[in-house]
Amino acid sequence: DTAVSQTPKYLVTQMGNDKSIKCEQNLGHDTMYWYKQDSKKFLKIMFSYNNKELIINETVPNRFSPKSPDKAHLNLHINSLELGDSAVYFCASSQGVGITEAFFGQGTRLTVV
Amino acid sequence: DQQVKQNSPSLSVQEGRISILNCDYTNSMFDYFLWYKKYPAEGPTFLISISSIKDKNEDGRFTVFLNKSAKHLSLHIVPSQPGDSAVYFCAASASGTYKYIFGTGTRLKVLA
């Protein structure tokens, strides 16, 4: 019974394509995140949502558009994919922030060719 | 500007001995600190956390120490087991900021 699940786990696509990654959490949390782990293994925050509202957008190109249809889902849509978008993308959720831990999905390895 | 730093990219320890992983931070607004463990092809898994009002938190074999004046925290694993071999990330957050800032990770290898 996976707490934070994201699909697909692997995604290989050509430059210029548009793709989406889906994330769902069954923990009842009110805050969800997207993190990017680049080739240097840095885990960097991209977006955070609280109760379906965008709270943080960490200077991510506007080709990346998160969408939260409800508190349990946070999807990531990427337009016009570029080679530099190749990375592992992690979805996470927490109940609030600052006083509790975040739970992470298994990651989506995106490869742009 | 890396606000959370793990200066040791790797660490090897004999099974049964203590593993000490270190983390430094620069932002004095951080008030909650976490350690995560990550296996290849999996997401980070929460291990242990500590609030800035404490200087120590213990959970089984894992203990986190916080030295606020030095802006330093450490994770002690005693005794270390081969299954502990993974990449360990420290992370920090500040109340109301809705994000966790991660360090660059330390790869721990526990030798049998």
Side-chain angles (χ1 to χ4, degrees):
Chain A
D1 191 20
T2 306
V4 181
S5 60
Q6 50 184 113
T7 54
K9 187 165 184 178
Y10 299 98
L11 184 53
V12 181
T13 187
Q14 291 189 325
M15 276 195 308
N17 283 352
D18 303 337
K19 290 292 179 186
S20 292
I21 307 172
K22 295 186 176 181
C23 178
E24 175 181 6
Q25 54 96 2
N26 62 7
L27 299 167
H29 289 165
D30 59 5
T31 305
M32 295 187 73
Y33 313 83
W34 278 109
Y35 277 81
K36 178 180 179 180
Q37 186 177 36
D38 60 21
S39 56
K40 294 183 179 178
K41 307 301 182 187
F42 295 141
L43 263 170
K44 288 187 176 177
I45 181 78
M46 298 174 68
F47 302 102
S48 65
Y49 270 72
N50 179 256
N51 287 317
K52 302 194 300 175
E53 290 194 21
L54 177 65
I55 303 296
I56 287 181
N57 178 341
E58 286 283 307
T59 60
V60 177
N62 57 17
R63 297 183 295 105
F64 291 77
S65 52
K67 281 188 173 55
S68 182
D70 55 58
K71 278 177 29 174
H73 296 84
L74 180 62
N75 304 322
L76 183 64
H77 188 76
I78 315 170
N79 289 329
S80 304
L81 277 154
E82 301 177 356
L83 292 176
D85 297 331
S86 296
V88 182
Y89 292 85
F90 290 99
C91 175
S93 73
S94 68
Q95 186 58 33
V97 73
I99 56 170
T100 185
E101 67 272 22
F103 292 82
F104 282 77
Q106 80 276 24
T108 296
R109 180 174 291 278
L110 171 66
T111 304
V112 183
V113 297
Chain B
D1 179 27
Q2 194 69 22
Q3 297 184 65
V4 179
K5 298 179 184 178
Q6 295 174 255
N7 292 319
S8 299
S10 63
L11 174 68
S12 290
V13 172
Q14 283 295 132
E15 181 179 8
R17 306 294 290 267
I18 184 171
S19 296
I20 300 177
L21 295 94
N22 294 304
C23 179
D24 297 295
Y25 62 95
T26 58
N27 189 341
S28 58
M29 297 300 293
F30 288 148
D31 54 8
Y32 190 66
F33 304 89
L34 313 91
W35 283 95
Y36 282 83
K37 176 181 182 179
K38 187 181 179 306
Y39 293 118
E42 292 185 13
T45 302
F46 170 73
L47 264 180
I48 192 169
S49 62
I50 189 167
S51 163
S52 60
I53 62 173
K54 295 185 175 182
D55 54 19
K56 177 182 174 182
N57 189 25
E58 192 172 352
D59 184 2
R61 296 186 298 115
F62 302 92
T63 302
V64 56
F65 295 92
L66 176 62
N67 182 335
K68 287 188 293 294
S69 60
K71 293 191 176 67
H72 177 84
L73 65 154
S74 60
L75 174 69
H76 292 209
I77 307 173
V78 181
S80 301
Q81 299 173 353
D84 296 331
S85 297
V87 177
Y88 289 78
F89 289 94
C90 75
S93 67
S95 295
T97 59
Y98 287 94
K99 60 182 175 182
Y100 301 87
I101 306 297
F102 281 80
T104 48
T106 296
R107 182 177 299 279
L108 173 66
K109 188 170 184 180
V110 180
L111 307 170

PDB file of all heavy atoms in Angstrom, chain A residues 18-41:
ATOM      1  N   ASP A  18       6.116  16.885 -25.264  1.00  0.00           N
ATOM      2  CA  ASP A  18       5.465  17.270 -24.013  1.00  0.00           C
ATOM      3  C   ASP A  18       5.145  15.987 -23.246  1.00  0.00           C
ATOM      4  O   ASP A  18       4.638  15.028 -23.833  1.00  0.00           O
ATOM      5  CB  ASP A  18       4.155  18.007 -24.286  1.00  0.00           C
ATOM      6  CG  ASP A  18       4.322  19.240 -25.156  1.00  0.00           C
ATOM      7  OD1 ASP A  18       5.455  19.778 -25.196  1.00  0.00           O
ATOM      8  OD2 ASP A  18       3.339  19.659 -25.781  1.00  0.00           O
ATOM      9  N   LYS A  19       5.436  15.988 -21.938  1.00  0.00           N
ATOM     10  CA  LYS A  19       5.168  14.790 -21.143  1.00  0.00           C
ATOM     11  C   LYS A  19       4.646  15.178 -19.770  1.00  0.00           C
ATOM     12  O   LYS A  19       4.859  16.299 -19.300  1.00  0.00           O
ATOM     13  CB  LYS A  19       6.444  13.947 -20.962  1.00  0.00           C
ATOM     14  CG  LYS A  19       6.920  13.273 -22.228  1.00  0.00           C
ATOM     15  CD  LYS A  19       5.948  12.192 -22.659  1.00  0.00           C
ATOM     16  CE  LYS A  19       6.414  11.530 -23.967  1.00  0.00           C
ATOM     17  NZ  LYS A  19       5.417  10.568 -24.474  1.00  0.00           N
ATOM     18  N   SER A  20       3.977  14.221 -19.130  1.00  0.00           N
ATOM     19  CA  SER A  20       3.453  14.436 -17.778  1.00  0.00           C
ATOM     20  C   SER A  20       3.901  13.324 -16.848  1.00  0.00           C
ATOM     21  O   SER A  20       4.046  12.169 -17.264  1.00  0.00           O
ATOM     22  CB  SER A  20       1.921  14.483 -17.800  1.00  0.00           C
ATOM     23  OG  SER A  20       1.454  15.621 -18.468  1.00  0.00           O
ATOM     24  N   ILE A  21       4.101  13.702 -15.602  1.00  0.00           N
ATOM     25  CA  ILE A  21       4.378  12.739 -14.531  1.00  0.00           C
ATOM     26  C   ILE A  21       3.271  12.917 -13.490  1.00  0.00           C
ATOM     27  O   ILE A  21       2.940  14.051 -13.112  1.00  0.00           O
ATOM     28  CB  ILE A  21       5.738  12.992 -13.862  1.00  0.00           C
ATOM     29  CG1 ILE A  21       6.855  13.046 -14.907  1.00  0.00           C
ATOM     30  CG2 ILE A  21       6.029  11.899 -12.838  1.00  0.00           C
ATOM     31  CD1 ILE A  21       8.194  13.492 -14.345  1.00  0.00           C
ATOM     32  N   LYS A  22       2.723  11.786 -13.068  1.00  0.00           N
ATOM     33  CA  LYS A  22       1.617  11.860 -12.117  1.00  0.00           C
ATOM     34  C   LYS A  22       2.072  11.463 -10.717  1.00  0.00           C
ATOM     35  O   LYS A  22       2.965  10.624 -10.559  1.00  0.00           O
ATOM     36  CB  LYS A  22       0.477  10.940 -12.560  1.00  0.00           C
ATOM     37  CG  LYS A  22      -0.151  11.367 -13.867  1.00  0.00           C
ATOM     38  CD  LYS A  22      -1.360  10.522 -14.203  1.00  0.00           C
ATOM     39  CE  LYS A  22      -2.027  11.035 -15.461  1.00  0.00           C
ATOM     40  NZ  LYS A  22      -3.232  10.243 -15.815  1.00  0.00           N
ATOM     41  N   CYS A  23       1.456  12.062  -9.718  1.00  0.00           N
ATOM     42  CA  CYS A  23       1.789  11.752  -8.326  1.00  0.00           C
ATOM     43  C   CYS A  23       0.505  11.731  -7.498  1.00  0.00           C
ATOM     44  O   CYS A  23      -0.348  12.622  -7.612  1.00  0.00           O
ATOM     45  CB  CYS A  23       2.752  12.776  -7.760  1.00  0.00           C
ATOM     46  SG  CYS A  23       3.173  12.473  -6.017  1.00  0.00           S
ATOM     47  N   GLU A  24       0.437  10.717  -6.653  1.00  0.00           N
ATOM     48  CA  GLU A  24      -0.713  10.583  -5.759  1.00  0.00           C
ATOM     49  C   GLU A  24      -0.225  10.178  -4.377  1.00  0.00           C
ATOM     50  O   GLU A  24       0.678   9.361  -4.251  1.00  0.00           O
ATOM     51  CB  GLU A  24      -1.671   9.511  -6.285  1.00  0.00           C
ATOM     52  CG  GLU A  24      -2.847   9.214  -5.374  1.00  0.00           C
ATOM     53  CD  GLU A  24      -3.758   8.127  -5.924  1.00  0.00           C
ATOM     54  OE1 GLU A  24      -3.422   7.513  -6.952  1.00  0.00           O
ATOM     55  OE2 GLU A  24      -4.812   7.895  -5.303  1.00  0.00           O
ATOM     56  N   GLN A  25      -0.824  10.757  -3.337  1.00  0.00           N
ATOM     57  CA  GLN A  25      -0.487  10.338  -1.978  1.00  0.00           C
ATOM     58  C   GLN A  25      -1.776   9.953  -1.236  1.00  0.00           C
ATOM     59  O   GLN A  25      -2.812  10.612  -1.393  1.00  0.00           O
ATOM     60  CB  GLN A  25       0.295  11.436  -1.225  1.00  0.00           C
ATOM     61  CG  GLN A  25      -0.361  12.799  -1.191  1.00  0.00           C
ATOM     62  CD  GLN A  25      -1.154  13.095   0.049  1.00  0.00           C
ATOM     63  OE1 GLN A  25      -1.229  12.293   0.979  1.00  0.00           O
ATOM     64  NE2 GLN A  25      -1.772  14.281   0.096  1.00  0.00           N
ATOM     65  N   ASN A  26      -1.675   8.878  -0.466  1.00  0.00           N
ATOM     66  CA  ASN A  26      -2.841   8.391   0.284  1.00  0.00           C
ATOM     67  C   ASN A  26      -2.668   8.593   1.782  1.00  0.00           C
ATOM     68  O   ASN A  26      -3.246   7.865   2.593  1.00  0.00           O
ATOM     69  CB  ASN A  26      -3.119   6.918  -0.056  1.00  0.00           C
ATOM     70  CG  ASN A  26      -1.966   6.003   0.329  1.00  0.00           C
ATOM     71  OD1 ASN A  26      -1.001   6.421   0.965  1.00  0.00           O
ATOM     72  ND2 ASN A  26      -2.059   4.737  -0.057  1.00  0.00           N
ATOM     73  N   LEU A  27      -1.857   9.581   2.140  1.00  0.00           N
ATOM     74  CA  LEU A  27      -1.548   9.843   3.555  1.00  0.00           C
ATOM     75  C   LEU A  27      -2.438  10.919   4.162  1.00  0.00           C
ATOM     76  O   LEU A  27      -2.311  11.205   5.356  1.00  0.00           O
ATOM     77  CB  LEU A  27      -0.076  10.248   3.684  1.00  0.00           C
ATOM     78  CG  LEU A  27       0.921   9.185   3.228  1.00  0.00           C
ATOM     79  CD1 LEU A  27       2.313   9.773   3.078  1.00  0.00           C
ATOM     80  CD2 LEU A  27       0.941   8.026   4.224  1.00  0.00           C
ATOM     81  N   GLY A  28      -3.259  11.547   3.349  1.00  0.00           N
ATOM     82  CA  GLY A  28      -4.089  12.624   3.861  1.00  0.00           C
ATOM     83  C   GLY A  28      -3.327  13.911   4.112  1.00  0.00           C
ATOM     84  O   GLY A  28      -3.806  14.791   4.829  1.00  0.00           O
ATOM     85  N   HIS A  29      -2.143  14.025   3.539  1.00  0.00           N
ATOM     86  CA  HIS A  29      -1.323  15.224   3.743  1.00  0.00           C
ATOM     87  C   HIS A  29      -1.874  16.416   2.981  1.00  0.00           C
ATOM     88  O   HIS A  29      -2.550  16.269   1.967  1.00  0.00           O
ATOM     89  CB  HIS A  29       0.119  14.954   3.285  1.00  0.00           C
ATOM     90  CG  HIS A  29       0.853  14.030   4.196  1.00  0.00           C
ATOM     91  ND1 HIS A  29       2.034  13.423   3.825  1.00  0.00           N
ATOM     92  CD2 HIS A  29       0.602  13.618   5.458  1.00  0.00           C
ATOM     93  CE1 HIS A  29       2.479  12.674   4.822  1.00  0.00           C
ATOM     94  NE2 HIS A  29       1.616  12.778   5.830  1.00  0.00           N
ATOM     95  N   ASP A  30      -1.544  17.613   3.474  1.00  0.00           N
ATOM     96  CA  ASP A  30      -2.045  18.814   2.821  1.00  0.00           C
ATOM     97  C   ASP A  30      -0.992  19.528   1.971  1.00  0.00           C
ATOM     98  O   ASP A  30      -1.306  20.504   1.297  1.00  0.00           O
ATOM     99  CB  ASP A  30      -2.618  19.791   3.856  1.00  0.00           C
ATOM    100  CG  ASP A  30      -1.586  20.219   4.892  1.00  0.00           C
ATOM    101  OD1 ASP A  30      -0.397  19.847   4.765  1.00  0.00           O
ATOM    102  OD2 ASP A  30      -1.968  20.930   5.840  1.00  0.00           O
ATOM    103  N   THR A  31       0.240  19.054   2.022  1.00  0.00           N
ATOM    104  CA  THR A  31       1.321  19.711   1.282  1.00  0.00           C
ATOM    105  C   THR A  31       2.013  18.686   0.394  1.00  0.00           C
ATOM    106  O   THR A  31       2.327  17.587   0.831  1.00  0.00           O
ATOM    107  CB  THR A  31       2.339  20.343   2.251  1.00  0.00           C
ATOM    108  OG1 THR A  31       1.649  21.220   3.148  1.00  0.00           O
ATOM    109  CG2 THR A  31       3.382  21.143   1.483  1.00  0.00           C
ATOM    110  N   MET A  32       2.227  19.071  -0.869  1.00  0.00           N
ATOM    111  CA  MET A  32       2.915  18.192  -1.817  1.00  0.00           C
ATOM    112  C   MET A  32       4.009  18.973  -2.530  1.00  0.00           C
ATOM    113  O   MET A  32       3.945  20.203  -2.639  1.00  0.00           O
ATOM    114  CB  MET A  32       1.921  17.596  -2.825  1.00  0.00           C
ATOM    115  CG  MET A  32       0.903  16.673  -2.169  1.00  0.00           C
ATOM    116  SD  MET A  32      -0.157  15.812  -3.338  1.00  0.00           S
ATOM    117  CE  MET A  32       0.989  14.609  -4.038  1.00  0.00           C
ATOM    118  N   TYR A  33       5.016  18.233  -3.006  1.00  0.00           N
ATOM    119  CA  TYR A  33       6.217  18.845  -3.572  1.00  0.00           C
ATOM    120  C   TYR A  33       6.655  18.093  -4.823  1.00  0.00           C
ATOM    121  O   TYR A  33       6.399  16.902  -4.973  1.00  0.00           O
ATOM    122  CB  TYR A  33       7.389  18.754  -2.576  1.00  0.00           C
ATOM    123  CG  TYR A  33       7.086  19.144  -1.161  1.00  0.00           C
ATOM    124  CD1 TYR A  33       6.513  18.233  -0.271  1.00  0.00           C
ATOM    125  CD2 TYR A  33       7.389  20.419  -0.697  1.00  0.00           C
ATOM    126  CE1 TYR A  33       6.248  18.583   1.038  1.00  0.00           C
ATOM    127  CE2 TYR A  33       7.132  20.775   0.625  1.00  0.00           C
ATOM    128  CZ  TYR A  33       6.556  19.842   1.485  1.00  0.00           C
ATOM    129  OH  TYR A  33       6.296  20.200   2.779  1.00  0.00           O
ATOM    130  N   TRP A  34       7.387  18.831  -5.661  1.00  0.00           N
ATOM    131  CA  TRP A  34       8.195  18.207  -6.690  1.00  0.00           C
ATOM    132  C   TRP A  34       9.647  18.602  -6.457  1.00  0.00           C
ATOM    133  O   TRP A  34       9.951  19.798  -6.269  1.00  0.00           O
ATOM    134  CB  TRP A  34       7.770  18.638  -8.093  1.00  0.00           C
ATOM    135  CG  TRP A  34       6.598  17.873  -8.613  1.00  0.00           C
ATOM    136  CD1 TRP A  34       5.318  18.316  -8.795  1.00  0.00           C
ATOM    137  CD2 TRP A  34       6.590  16.498  -9.025  1.00  0.00           C
ATOM    138  NE1 TRP A  34       4.519  17.316  -9.284  1.00  0.00           N
ATOM    139  CE2 TRP A  34       5.282  16.182  -9.427  1.00  0.00           C
ATOM    140  CE3 TRP A  34       7.564  15.494  -9.091  1.00  0.00           C
ATOM    141  CZ2 TRP A  34       4.909  14.920  -9.889  1.00  0.00           C
ATOM    142  CZ3 TRP A  34       7.203  14.235  -9.542  1.00  0.00           C
ATOM    143  CH2 TRP A  34       5.887  13.954  -9.948  1.00  0.00           C
ATOM    144  N   TYR A  35      10.522  17.593  -6.450  1.00  0.00           N
ATOM    145  CA  TYR A  35      11.953  17.794  -6.340  1.00  0.00           C
ATOM    146  C   TYR A  35      12.617  17.233  -7.594  1.00  0.00           C
ATOM    147  O   TYR A  35      12.138  16.275  -8.198  1.00  0.00           O
ATOM    148  CB  TYR A  35      12.521  17.061  -5.117  1.00  0.00           C
ATOM    149  CG  TYR A  35      12.382  17.812  -3.824  1.00  0.00           C
ATOM    150  CD1 TYR A  35      11.178  17.809  -3.120  1.00  0.00           C
ATOM    151  CD2 TYR A  35      13.447  18.539  -3.306  1.00  0.00           C
ATOM    152  CE1 TYR A  35      11.057  18.507  -1.933  1.00  0.00           C
ATOM    153  CE2 TYR A  35      13.332  19.235  -2.113  1.00  0.00           C
ATOM    154  CZ  TYR A  35      12.126  19.212  -1.434  1.00  0.00           C
ATOM    155  OH  TYR A  35      12.013  19.904  -0.260  1.00  0.00           O
ATOM    156  N   LYS A  36      13.755  17.810  -7.934  1.00  0.00           N
ATOM    157  CA  LYS A  36      14.547  17.330  -9.062  1.00  0.00           C
ATOM    158  C   LYS A  36      15.922  16.916  -8.551  1.00  0.00           C
ATOM    159  O   LYS A  36      16.564  17.678  -7.804  1.00  0.00           O
ATOM    160  CB  LYS A  36      14.692  18.430 -10.115  1.00  0.00           C
ATOM    161  CG  LYS A  36      15.544  18.061 -11.312  1.00  0.00           C
ATOM    162  CD  LYS A  36      15.628  19.235 -12.289  1.00  0.00           C
ATOM    163  CE  LYS A  36      16.488  18.900 -13.493  1.00  0.00           C
ATOM    164  NZ  LYS A  36      16.584  20.035 -14.454  1.00  0.00           N
ATOM    165  N   GLN A  37      16.339  15.716  -8.933  1.00  0.00           N
ATOM    166  CA  GLN A  37      17.704  15.277  -8.619  1.00  0.00           C
ATOM    167  C   GLN A  37      18.482  15.236  -9.921  1.00  0.00           C
ATOM    168  O   GLN A  37      18.206  14.426 -10.808  1.00  0.00           O
ATOM    169  CB  GLN A  37      17.716  13.917  -7.942  1.00  0.00           C
ATOM    170  CG  GLN A  37      19.114  13.522  -7.473  1.00  0.00           C
ATOM    171  CD  GLN A  37      19.148  12.198  -6.731  1.00  0.00           C
ATOM    172  OE1 GLN A  37      18.416  11.274  -7.056  1.00  0.00           O
ATOM    173  NE2 GLN A  37      19.995  12.102  -5.714  1.00  0.00           N
ATOM    174  N   ASP A  38      19.471  16.123 -10.014  1.00  0.00           N
ATOM    175  CA  ASP A  38      20.192  16.246 -11.283  1.00  0.00           C
ATOM    176  C   ASP A  38      21.356  15.263 -11.335  1.00  0.00           C
ATOM    177  O   ASP A  38      21.513  14.411 -10.462  1.00  0.00           O
ATOM    178  CB  ASP A  38      20.655  17.686 -11.489  1.00  0.00           C
ATOM    179  CG  ASP A  38      21.573  18.156 -10.379  1.00  0.00           C
ATOM    180  OD1 ASP A  38      22.169  17.310  -9.669  1.00  0.00           O
ATOM    181  OD2 ASP A  38      21.703  19.373 -10.207  1.00  0.00           O
ATOM    182  N   SER A  39      22.187  15.424 -12.359  1.00  0.00           N
ATOM    183  CA  SER A  39      23.285  14.473 -12.576  1.00  0.00           C
ATOM    184  C   SER A  39      24.311  14.515 -11.448  1.00  0.00           C
ATOM    185  O   SER A  39      25.034  13.548 -11.226  1.00  0.00           O
ATOM    186  CB  SER A  39      23.970  14.758 -13.906  1.00  0.00           C
ATOM    187  OG  SER A  39      24.417  16.097 -13.934  1.00  0.00           O
ATOM    188  N   LYS A  40      24.365  15.631 -10.727  1.00  0.00           N
ATOM    189  CA  LYS A  40      25.281  15.733  -9.591  1.00  0.00           C
ATOM    190  C   LYS A  40      24.627  15.246  -8.300  1.00  0.00           C
ATOM    191  O   LYS A  40      25.200  15.380  -7.225  1.00  0.00           O
ATOM    192  CB  LYS A  40      25.746  17.177  -9.414  1.00  0.00           C
ATOM    193  CG  LYS A  40      26.599  17.680 -10.556  1.00  0.00           C
ATOM    194  CD  LYS A  40      27.089  19.086 -10.298  1.00  0.00           C
ATOM    195  CE  LYS A  40      27.971  19.569 -11.436  1.00  0.00           C
ATOM    196  NZ  LYS A  40      28.438  20.952 -11.247  1.00  0.00           N
ATOM    197  N   LYS A  41      23.448  14.708  -8.407  1.00  0.00           N
ATOM    198  CA  LYS A  41      22.714  14.107  -7.287  1.00  0.00           C
ATOM    199  C   LYS A  41      22.159  15.128  -6.301  1.00  0.00           C
ATOM    200  O   LYS A  41      21.748  14.758  -5.207  1.00  0.00           O
ATOM    201  CB  LYS A  41      23.577  13.082  -6.529  1.00  0.00           C
ATOM    202  CG  LYS A  41      24.173  12.027  -7.439  1.00  0.00           C
ATOM    203  CD  LYS A  41      23.114  11.247  -8.180  1.00  0.00           C
ATOM    204  CE  LYS A  41      23.726  10.171  -9.049  1.00  0.00           C
ATOM    205  NZ  LYS A  41      22.713   9.505  -9.913  1.00  0.00           N
TER     206      LYS A  41
END
